[in-house]
């Protein structure tokens, strides 16, 4: 079974802090994704990566950056956290970008910025 | 871009059938996914349609009409554990690196 893990289930940070969210997958997947999920808005793509050190902006990249130094690990960075970044953050991975390739999700990190 | 619509909430009785509709407008289409998400948990894959027609998987079936930009997920013989949010997601053009565009989700409430 594919396993996607995220470093924290719950996180509370203060405005202006730098925040790191870590995601690890154990199935040698090429693609990794970061989403945020808000009520009524569904999942929105922040950034994704299709290879080590490669990244592409998603629909809402402002205020975020990412890092993928190793294939299995994809980090989301909030350079200076703000209250409007309070959300559920979900990481996902897929084997390739092939048609039909399923995205597998981690359990999510609920981030609260005070 | 993609615009994906699905109802916000549906309620049904245990043992009944519920159909969750999803309509989409897209500039490129390479398949439609359905995911199930229980409260506080990760979305899990249910089904994938890329060609028109019905795909059946046990109690769950998914239908696609590409010409109408329409899909539905059919849940039969509802069980209490089926209470969850159901997410419709469309995969974009071939050059989009497998990105998915998600609807806001349909909360299904199963009552005894």
């Amino acid at each position: 079974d594919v396993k996607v893990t995220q470093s924290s289930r719950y996180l509370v940070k203060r405005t202006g802090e730098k925040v790191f969210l870590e995601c690890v997958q154990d199935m040698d997947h090429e693609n990794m994704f970061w989403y945020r999920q808000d009520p009524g808005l569904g999942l929105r793509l922040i950034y994704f990566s299709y290879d080590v050190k490669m990244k592409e902006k998603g629909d809402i990249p402002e205020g975020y950056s990412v890092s993928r130094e190793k294939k299995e690990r994809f980090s989301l960075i909030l350079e200076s956290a703000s209250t409007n970044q309070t959300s559920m953050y979900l990481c996902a991975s897929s084997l390739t970008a092939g048609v039909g390739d399923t995205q597998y999700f981690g359990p999510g990190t609920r981030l609260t910025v005070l | 871009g993609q615009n994906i619509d699905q109802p916000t909430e549906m309620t049904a009785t245990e043992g009944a059938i519920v159909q969750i509709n999803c309509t989409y407008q897209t500039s490129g289409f390479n398949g439609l996914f359905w995911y199930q998400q229980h409260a506080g948990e990760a979305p899990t894959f249910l089904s994938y349609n890329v060609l028109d027609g019905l795909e059946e998987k046990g109690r769950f079936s998914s239908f696609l009409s590409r010409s109408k930009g329409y899909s539905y997920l059919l849940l039969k013989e509802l069980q209490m554990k089926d209470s969850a949010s159901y997410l419709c997601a469309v995969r974009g053009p071939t050059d989009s690196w497998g990105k998915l565009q998600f609807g806001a989700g349909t909360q299904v409430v199963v009552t005894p």
Side-chain angles (χ1 to χ4, degrees), chain B residues 4-23:
Chain B
I4 299 166
D5 290 310
Q6 49 182 130
T8 304
E9 185 169 314
M10 302 182 76
T11 301
T13 309
E14 202 173 6
I17 298 172
V18 70
Q19 178 176 312
I20 307 167
N21 295 325
C22 173
T23 58

Side-chain angles (χ1 to χ4, degrees), chain A residues 22-24 32 67-75:
Chain A
E22 303 283 334
C23 175
V24 177
M32 296 187 76
S67 171
R68 193 165 180 203
E69 296 296 319
K70 293 186 177 180
K71 192 174 186 179
E72 67 270 19
R73 188 179 298 268
F74 192 35
S75 302

Side-chain angles (χ1 to χ4, degrees), chain B:
Chain B
Q2 331 264 18
N3 188 33
I4 299 166
D5 290 310
Q6 49 182 130
T8 304
E9 185 169 314
M10 302 182 76
T11 301
T13 309
E14 202 173 6
I17 298 172
V18 70
Q19 178 176 312
I20 307 167
N21 295 325
C22 173
T23 58
Y24 62 89
Q25 295 168 316
T26 177
S27 56
F29 180 82
N30 270 297
L32 187 144
F33 292 80
W34 284 96
Y35 283 83
Q36 180 191 59
Q37 186 179 25
H38 285 102
E41 297 183 12
T44 54
F45 169 76
L46 285 178
S47 69
Y48 170 70
N49 295 70
V50 67
L51 299 176
D52 291 350
L54 189 68
E55 296 275 345
E56 296 189 81
K57 247 190 215 182
R59 294 188 300 113
F60 293 3
S61 305
S62 57
F63 171 83
L64 176 68
S65 169
R66 289 172 295 170
S67 62
K68 295 181 179 175
Y70 168 69
S71 173
Y72 67 73
L73 180 70
L74 194 69
L75 315 182
K76 292 180 270 192
E77 299 167 22
L78 277 173
Q79 301 175 9
M80 298 300 290
K81 67 178 181 180
D82 298 330
S83 290
S85 184
Y86 292 84
L87 312 178
C88 171
V90 173
R91 186 188 170 111
T94 309
D95 62 350
S96 66
W97 296 104
K99 289 191 294 183
L100 297 178
Q101 195 81 19
F102 283 84
T106 298
Q107 185 67 42
V108 170
V109 177
V110 181
T111 59

Side-chain angles (χ1 to χ4, degrees), chain A residues 14-61:
Chain A
R14 296 209 174 273
T15 301
E17 280 193 79
K18 191 168 186 175
V19 182
F20 293 87
L21 302 182
E22 303 283 334
C23 175
V24 177
Q25 48 92 7
D26 67 355
M27 286 301 292
D28 203 34
H29 281 181
E30 292 182 6
N31 289 6
M32 296 187 76
F33 306 83
W34 274 108
Y35 295 89
R36 63 177 283 176
Q37 186 174 31
D38 301 289
L41 296 177
L43 275 77
R44 292 179 292 165
L45 182 64
I46 304 170
Y47 266 97
F48 69 102
S49 168
Y50 52 90
D51 201 351
V52 175
K53 297 191 188 294
M54 306 304 286
K55 60 187 179 186
E56 290 284 338
K57 292 179 181 179
D59 298 319
I60 51 163

Side-chain angles (χ1 to χ4, degrees), chain A residues 13-14 16 30 38 52 61-62 65 96 99 112:
Chain A
K13 295 291 181 181
R14 296 209 174 273
E30 292 182 6
D38 301 289
V52 175
E62 296 77 21
S65 63
T96 67
V99 174
T112 302

